Amino acid sequence: MKKISIAIDGYSSTGKSTMAKVLARRLGYGYIDTGAMYRAVTLYALRHGFINAGAIDENALLSALDDINITFAASQDGHNEAYLNGENVEGLIRGMEVSDNVSAVAAVGGVRRHLVKLQQAMGHEGGVVMDGRDIGTVVLPHAELKVFVTASAEVRAQRRFDELRDKGDTDVTFEQVLANVTERDRIDTTRAESPLVRADDALLLDNSEMTRDEQNEWLLNAAMRAING
């Protein structure tokens, strides 16, 4: 069976990473969470004082990019986890502070160009499922299967809110999460460098009213058609 490249793009909190992981596991493919890479850079920037009151010291951040090493490794239960300079930061990069700043960091042209080169190197041989915001349009424009995932802002905010509560964050409110989702949409779709858009040849998956099992089956069927087509 031939191995293809699969690009999954879409809005924040649509469950792209979860479905991409499941698909990669079912196909025996590698999985690359590009969103985690931007989150790791954001965490580094926060730790080093490159972000203050929402303003980014772009020069300082760009000068530090070569000092930022992002890798992925499987946990004992088989989940891919992000490492920043050797430190497991999977939990840290999912918090609200990183979420509130990641779209602004990802909008910095030099950051995107740096990470896109790394992502293209990871995915050039095929047999990979990669998710993010610009995979089908910029990173892997020749991917054999492209999927664009969407859902209403309210549905996405509720999913994110429930996830944060399940992880023990009892301080965050639904209104805060909805505001974060809405603002990230605005930044992602209007940035000058690689804005979030649906590729012309991408399949549309609106999972607003789909269960996880339903969307996973939809995606697997789409992948098998691309592989066998």
Side-chain angles (χ1 to χ4, degrees):
M1 184 182 297
K2 70 175 181 179
K3 290 196 172 185
I4 65 173
S5 296
I6 300 174
I8 301 178
D9 291 308
Y11 292 96
S12 67
S13 301
T14 50
K16 298 186 304 298
S17 296
T18 300
M19 69 177 75
K21 290 175 187 176
V22 172
L23 180 63
R25 188 161 56 246
R26 295 175 81 170
L27 294 176
Y29 280 21
Y31 165 67
I32 299 170
D33 181 356
T34 65
M37 298 174 74
Y38 287 100
R39 285 177 173 271
V41 172
T42 302
L43 178 62
Y44 184 96
L46 287 165
R47 284 178 167 180
H48 288 77
F50 299 157
I51 303 175
N52 291 289
I56 302 171
D57 185 340
E58 294 188 12
N59 290 332
L61 177 55
L62 294 176
S63 296
L65 287 178
D66 288 338
D67 297 324
I68 302 175
N69 182 38
I70 303 167
T71 55
F72 295 94
S75 63
Q76 290 185 343
D77 57 6
H79 291 101
N80 243 26
E81 296 188 330
Y83 284 75
L84 172 61
N85 293 337
E87 174 192 358
N88 187 327
V89 294
E90 185 63 30
L92 294 173
I93 63 175
R94 306 298 174 181
M96 282 303 296
E97 185 178 23
V98 170
S99 294
D100 284 339
N101 290 282
V102 63
S103 287
V105 169
V108 177
V111 172
R112 294 204 75 83
R113 289 189 290 272
H114 178 79
L115 292 185
V116 164
K117 287 181 181 179
L118 297 179
Q119 293 155 9
Q120 288 175 330
M122 294 174 179
H124 80 283
E125 292 184 356
V128 65
V129 179
M130 191 178 296
D131 77 88
R133 300 287 196 281
D134 59 353
I135 311 306
T137 54
V138 176
V139 181
L140 299 176
H142 302 298
E144 290 87 345
L145 173 62
K146 301 175 186 177
V147 176
F148 190 90
V149 190
T150 187
S152 72
E154 290 75 16
V155 166
R156 290 183 285 131
Q158 187 64 57
R159 290 171 179 168
R160 179 68 175 142
F161 177 72
D162 293 341
E163 178 185 351
L164 290 168
R165 283 299 177 95
D166 288 343
K167 291 180 179 179
D169 188 344
T170 58
D171 295 326
V172 68
T173 67
F174 173 79
E175 289 73 21
Q176 287 175 314
V177 178
L178 179 59
N180 171 262
V181 166
T182 303
E183 177 63 6
R184 290 181 67 187
D185 288 352
R186 184 192 68 79
I187 295 174
D188 289 343
T189 56
T190 61
R191 63 174 177 245
E193 189 84 20
S194 304
L196 171 64
V197 294
R198 177 185 173 189
D200 292 338
D201 54 348
L203 302 178
L204 181 66
L205 171 57
D206 185 335
N207 65 7
S208 297
E209 299 181 4
M210 297 176 74
T211 66
R212 285 190 175 182
D213 286 344
E214 287 172 340
Q215 66 188 18
N216 288 337
E217 287 305 310
W218 185 100
L219 196 56
L220 179 62
N221 289 335
M224 295 309 299
R225 288 195 299 271
I227 291 169
N228 295 324

